Amino acid sequence: MKTILVPIQNIALVTSALEAAARLAQRTGAYIEGFPLRFGIPQYLVAELATGIPLDSYHAKSQEELAEMHRLFEAFMLKQDIPPATAGSSRPCFGWLETAPEGEDFVGSYGRAFDVIVMPRSDVDAAGPNRRAIESVLFESGRPVLLAPPDAPGSIATNIVIHWNGSTEQARVNAFAMPLLRLAERVTVLTVIGGQEVPGPSADQIVRQLLYNDIAARLVSVELEDRDTGEAVLDAARAQGSDLLIKGAFTRNRLRQMIFGGATSYIMEHADLPVLMAH
């Protein structure tokens, strides 16, 4: 994971995402690129929202916000002793994309040129645009997203929990996570007895696969009891002292999860540790 993309938003949780990106870059020796994530608003709505405010003033304020996001990103990286990228510079280092267009769909397309995209996790009380941007990464980028919790993690990817449910999505995110799994001091393959799963290889087979890749993993099983699968997974990861959860996203139909809930939605909204997800 040598290239990291961080969409910068004008929200409080962006600091945690920057912290997670910096820690990951320092661990893997990566290049971090930031860009301003702006949620596009049709011009006729802009006029309505800016009632009483000249449109030129509205656009000027927007440019000020973009400049502020740039300053925030650069100041944070320099504070972490991560320098700007230059020809032949050592890593970790950072850069900034000035020309990002409006719209949350951009992160899904541009993210294809990076190894991982780091974003603040969604929230039950958060506005929809951040959730849509996360889903753009999951469904359009072909890359994993690292969701940062509200509180910045003290470490990342030293103690990893994989939630194995037999699915294609989980197999894919396991593959994306291989560089981090090889760096980890401890890896646990977790199954939830009675939880949401699909027909597929057993957790024992995944432990064997990891062992052949020189990753010594141990198997842990927990009972679902009266919890949601996502809640059981987070409880187990917390009990293991994990600083990264590897989770396949939307094994069940996305619309069904949006209406009825599911493990992916629960974890996206409640995780208190970094989560690496892919669809």
Side-chain angles (χ1 to χ4, degrees):
M1 292 187 175
K2 299 295 186 180
T3 55
I4 301 170
L5 181 64
V6 187
I8 305 301
Q9 304 174 62
N10 191 19
I11 59 175
L13 292 178
V14 74
T15 303
S16 180
L18 286 169
E19 188 79 48
R23 291 189 185 281
L24 182 60
Q26 289 162 341
R27 192 161 173 75
T28 65
Y31 164 72
I32 307 175
E33 185 166 296
F35 79 91
L37 179 58
R38 298 176 293 162
F39 304 112
I41 303 174
Q43 286 301 312
Y44 72 89
L45 284 180
V46 169
E48 285 189 20
L49 291 171
T51 300
I53 303 174
L55 204 54
D56 287 346
S57 298
Y58 179 87
H59 288 306
K61 179 173 172 47
S62 180
Q63 289 303 310
E64 289 174 11
E65 289 179 351
L66 294 180
E68 179 57 33
M69 285 190 272
H70 188 178
R71 286 192 294 268
L72 169 69
F73 175 77
E74 185 170 300
F76 186 92
M77 292 300 150
L78 293 175
K79 186 176 180 181
Q80 301 296 315
D81 294 323
I82 299 176
T86 57
S89 63
S90 60
R91 293 174 296 181
C93 57
F94 74 87
W96 179 259
L97 179 68
E98 292 279 4
T99 57
E102 289 186 350
E104 56 266 28
D105 292 342
F106 175 72
V107 67
S109 60
Y110 190 60
R112 297 167 196 158
F114 292 81
D115 297 319
V116 63
I117 297 95
V118 179
M119 298 184 67
R121 71 153 211 222
S122 187
D123 191 279
V124 287
D125 298 320
N130 185 55
R131 173 65 176 253
R132 292 197 301 271
I134 293 171
E135 292 187 0
S136 178
V137 173
L138 290 172
F139 289 94
E140 302 300 333
S141 73
R143 299 295 184 178
V145 59
L146 178 66
L147 299 179
D151 295 323
S155 62
I156 192 166
T158 64
N159 181 354
I160 298 177
V161 168
I162 297 169
H163 172 224
W164 182 251
N165 62 1
S167 69
T168 303
E169 293 78 11
Q170 187 63 48
R172 184 173 294 121
V173 73
N174 285 7
F176 280 130
M178 277 294 181
L180 299 180
L181 291 168
R182 290 194 174 97
L183 289 174
E185 299 166 12
R186 181 178 177 185
V187 176
T188 302
V189 177
L190 169 72
T191 58
V192 179
I193 300 169
Q196 297 171 9
E197 58 181 30
V198 298
S202 68
D204 287 321
Q205 289 172 301
I206 300 307
V207 170
R208 184 184 66 179
Q209 177 217 5
L210 292 172
L211 186 58
Y212 277 120
N213 280 275
D214 300 318
I215 299 165
R218 64 195 194 103
L219 181 61
V220 169
S221 297
V222 296
E223 297 282 350
L224 182 62
E225 298 174 339
D226 59 351
R227 299 171 293 182
D228 177 274
T229 299
E231 184 179 3
V233 169
L234 290 180
D235 286 348
R238 197 177 298 114
Q240 296 296 321
S242 174
D243 57 9
L244 182 66
L245 172 64
I246 308 295
K247 178 77 181 77
F250 295 111
T251 297
R252 300 172 71 194
N253 178 275
R254 175 171 53 160
L255 179 60
R256 180 181 175 86
Q257 288 220 38
M258 289 172 64
I259 297 172
F260 300 107
T264 299
S265 294
Y266 187 92
I267 290 170
M268 284 175 66
E269 295 170 355
H270 296 90
D272 54 2
L273 76 162
V275 183
L276 188 73
M277 281 189 165
H279 178 65

